[in-house]
Amino acid sequence: MISLLENAPNLRRIFDAAKVFKVASLSMTWASANKVYLDEPFMHTGLSHLHKLSKDQNLKRWPLDDWYKNCGIEIDRIINFAVALGCQKEFDRISVDANCRQNPNWSAVLSKAPGEREGNVINRDFSLSPESMDLLMSKDIAAIQLFWKVLCRTDILCRVEYNRENIFEAVYQITDRGGPKTSPSQLVCALRDLEWVPQTGGLFVKPSQAIASRLPKGFPVDAGFKWLEAVQFGFDEKKKFVESAERREHREKLGFKSDADLQRALEFNKLLSPEEQEAILAKKRQRRTGPVELPVREVRNPEMRANRVGSDVRATPDKSVAMKTRSVQLGVSEAKIEAKVYLQDQYTNANGQMICQVCKDELPFKLPSGSYYFEAVELIVNSTKRYRSTYLALCPNHAAAYQYANGQKGSMAELISTASTTEIEIDLGSQRTTLYFTGVHLADAKACLEADSE
């Protein structure tokens, strides 16, 4: 028979109903070509997964018996003979014809096709074949892989064969003039709704929930496959990505660098009253966001200012001590009050910020009156007189350090007198730092020390 058909291919029809194939079946030994499929060990088609699931005896086929492996005829000749007579070598009945009126999009889309009197009517739709449903509902990866590969092959054929019907699209038309309305076919709608796509871990999900990287091996994914787009494969993941990008763009427009920053701001707004929020913000605004501007106060006429300060020095009374139960210096409060007024003027910058001469930064807090708290500390502790310009404006920490941990305590007069810049190096608490002066304050202090030494 094989030789006959090889020599006379046109005689194929005489074998149509002939049971010429030995099959592996308990119910029959021989079968005609339309009841036989090819798979391992003769060809790798995956059809065994399809026919093991088939319940319809009219659709069921059987595999070639293993007897053919050792019958003495070359396997290739057997395969060519079987294919020529019509034995099934691939799954190709993925869909069946359907009526557009059963399409889920009939009312919303397809029924809107324009036209009143029927002309060239087109009513073309497709639904899943029973065999396809068997494969999808099996939850068997090998069976679903067979269906997946058929989808890919059909997708390619729909694009390269001009006259081939597109099973992924439903078309309804009343007249040529009105034109057609199209929508996803019933096949596509069913594939969108069923949980049939395998993922790692044994899960089966809807195409929209699937992630390509979690597909088992043997499930090709290509951007050129239109069917993947039609069934919304990976749609949820893409939507998350788009929403994430939109959310990021919106967040950045609002000035937040991360979702955590935005969430923190939302919690801030939710948990705190407007008054509490404003109090925190007002306190934050008081803090510097960059280097604090240091007041300069340059001396316009050094000689004139030195003469005037010298006159004030000579007119200033000596320190006096009254002997009581303990000895206390007199006139300290008055001198400090005058010194504080002087220092506030010298060390408040154009932004209204008063600084510490050692920190060279804004003083840490204000009094209820709104004025900065600072300590007016004598520059020279053993001076015979108290001059407003021989006091320093210091924060509480540096005031204590200057008085009790000043490495240059006994040589401050010399450091001031010989200073050539507005910053003088000193040791406070074993840490090297500088003492900042405005130009006016340094000139006044020098003038006082010079007059005091006369």
Side-chain angles (χ1 to χ4, degrees):
M1 289 186 296
I2 295 177
S3 297
L4 175 65
L5 193 62
E6 287 174 342
N7 294 321
N10 57 324
L11 298 178
R12 182 179 65 82
R13 291 296 179 187
I14 67 174
F15 297 101
D16 282 353
K19 295 182 179 181
V20 296
F21 293 101
K22 187 176 179 63
V23 293
S25 170
L26 297 176
S27 59
M28 64 177 69
T29 304
W30 297 90
S32 58
N34 63 352
K35 290 294 182 180
V36 179
Y37 72 85
L38 297 173
D39 203 352
E40 303 289 358
F42 306 102
M43 292 180 71
H44 177 64
T45 65
L47 288 171
S48 60
H49 302 292
L50 171 66
H51 291 289
K52 284 177 182 177
L53 297 169
S54 179
K55 301 178 182 64
D56 189 339
Q57 293 301 313
N58 293 323
L59 299 175
K60 193 173 182 65
R61 296 186 182 225
W62 286 268
L64 287 177
D65 194 271
D66 285 349
W67 171 81
Y68 285 101
K69 292 191 296 183
N70 303 305
C71 69
I73 304 173
E74 295 90 337
I75 295 297
D76 286 346
R77 293 184 69 196
I78 295 172
I79 292 173
N80 291 335
F81 178 72
V83 171
L85 292 188
C87 292
Q88 188 180 20
K89 65 173 183 177
E90 62 184 18
F91 174 46
D92 52 7
R93 192 170 178 263
I94 191 172
S95 66
V96 292
D97 292 341
N99 191 307
C100 285
R101 294 180 182 274
Q102 276 71 57
N103 192 293
N105 297 313
W106 168 254
S107 296
V109 181
L110 296 173
S111 65
K112 308 297 183 184
E116 297 179 0
R117 298 178 61 182
E118 292 185 354
N120 184 16
V121 177
I122 298 175
N123 185 347
R124 184 168 62 242
D125 201 355
F126 305 89
S127 61
L128 289 167
S129 67
E131 301 96 311
S132 294
M133 286 299 298
D134 287 340
L135 292 172
L136 294 176
M137 301 306 293
S138 70
K139 302 297 183 182
D140 180 80
I141 290 180
I144 294 175
Q145 185 182 41
L146 173 63
F147 180 78
W148 187 283
K149 289 181 177 179
V150 175
L151 279 175
C152 294
R153 184 173 69 247
T154 304
D155 183 291
I156 294 171
L157 292 175
C158 286
R159 284 182 280 125
V160 299
E161 296 181 4
Y162 178 75
N163 293 323
R164 189 181 183 90
E165 293 180 333
N166 183 359
I167 66 170
F168 305 114
E169 182 180 67
V171 181
Y172 187 75
Q173 175 180 288
I174 296 177
T175 65
D176 284 333
R177 185 175 181 181
K181 286 287 184 179
T182 62
S183 82
S185 66
Q186 293 176 51
L187 177 146
V188 168
C189 294
L191 291 179
R192 288 179 179 179
D193 294 337
L194 293 172
E195 295 180 341
W196 63 276
V197 180
Q199 300 279 266
T200 53
L203 296 176
F204 289 86
V205 299
K206 295 180 180 180
S208 62
Q209 300 168 334
I211 298 174
S213 61
R214 296 180 184 175
L215 285 169
K217 290 182 179 180
F219 286 77
V221 174
D222 190 290
F225 289 149
K226 298 299 183 182
W227 76 266
L228 288 172
E229 182 180 350
V231 301
Q232 300 178 341
F233 180 83
F235 180 80
D236 291 356
E237 188 71 12
K238 293 175 184 176
K239 184 179 179 182
K240 287 179 183 178
F241 178 80
V242 171
E243 288 177 348
S244 177
E246 290 176 348
R247 186 170 61 250
R248 181 172 62 252
E249 182 181 359
H250 179 63
R251 183 196 71 215
E252 290 175 351
K253 283 182 179 179
L254 293 175
F256 297 100
K257 294 182 179 179
S258 67
D259 286 338
D261 290 345
L262 176 58
Q263 186 61 36
R264 194 180 305 111
L266 292 174
E267 291 184 10
F268 181 85
N269 186 61
K270 180 180 179 180
L271 298 176
L272 300 178
S273 67
E275 293 77 13
E276 291 173 317
Q277 294 175 28
E278 186 56 39
I280 293 172
L281 292 173
K283 186 175 181 180
K284 182 65 179 176
R285 291 187 193 108
Q286 290 179 1
R287 300 177 183 175
R288 67 183 178 92
T289 56
V292 171
E293 178 187 334
L294 300 178
V296 179
R297 304 288 192 278
E298 294 182 356
V299 182
R300 296 180 180 178
N301 191 325
E303 185 177 351
M304 182 181 294
R305 187 165 187 95
N307 291 335
R308 185 170 69 247
V309 172
S311 298
D312 292 341
V313 168
R314 287 185 285 273
T316 301
D318 292 341
K319 295 179 182 179
S320 59
V321 178
M323 296 299 296
K324 297 183 180 180
T325 306
R326 59 187 178 89
S327 61
V328 295
Q329 295 185 9
L330 301 177
V332 174
S333 297
E334 293 82 353
K336 279 195 173 184
I337 291 173
E338 185 178 357
K340 282 200 166 189
V341 173
Y342 173 81
L343 293 170
Q344 282 176 333
D345 177 64
Q346 291 296 310
Y347 293 99
T348 300
N349 63 25
N351 298 320
Q353 298 168 300
M354 186 174 179
I355 68 162
C356 165
Q357 287 180 250
V358 176
C359 296
K360 292 172 280 295
D361 199 352
E362 186 179 8
L363 288 163
F365 63 92
K366 292 181 178 181
L367 297 170
S369 63
S371 60
Y372 284 98
Y373 176 81
F374 71 98
E375 295 192 21
V377 179
E378 281 193 275
L379 178 59
I380 312 297
V381 294
N382 57 355
S383 62
T384 58
K385 296 184 178 182
R386 298 185 186 90
Y387 314 113
R388 66 176 189 174
S389 52
T390 55
Y391 280 83
L392 302 172
L394 303 177
C395 67
N397 283 344
H398 285 124
Y402 187 85
Q403 293 176 86
Y404 304 112
N406 184 356
Q408 287 73 35
K409 190 172 184 178
S411 57
M412 287 307 300
E414 182 181 354
L415 290 175
I416 297 297
S417 299
T418 59
S420 58
T421 67
T422 56
E423 291 194 50
I424 299 172
E425 290 190 357
I426 57 173
D427 293 314
L428 294 183
S430 300
Q431 292 185 349
R432 196 68 172 172
T433 185
T434 60
L435 190 60
Y436 174 76
F437 288 84
T438 64
V440 169
H441 188 190
L442 184 60
D444 290 353
K446 286 185 175 184
C448 286
L449 294 176
E450 185 180 346
D452 195 34
S453 63
E454 294 177 353

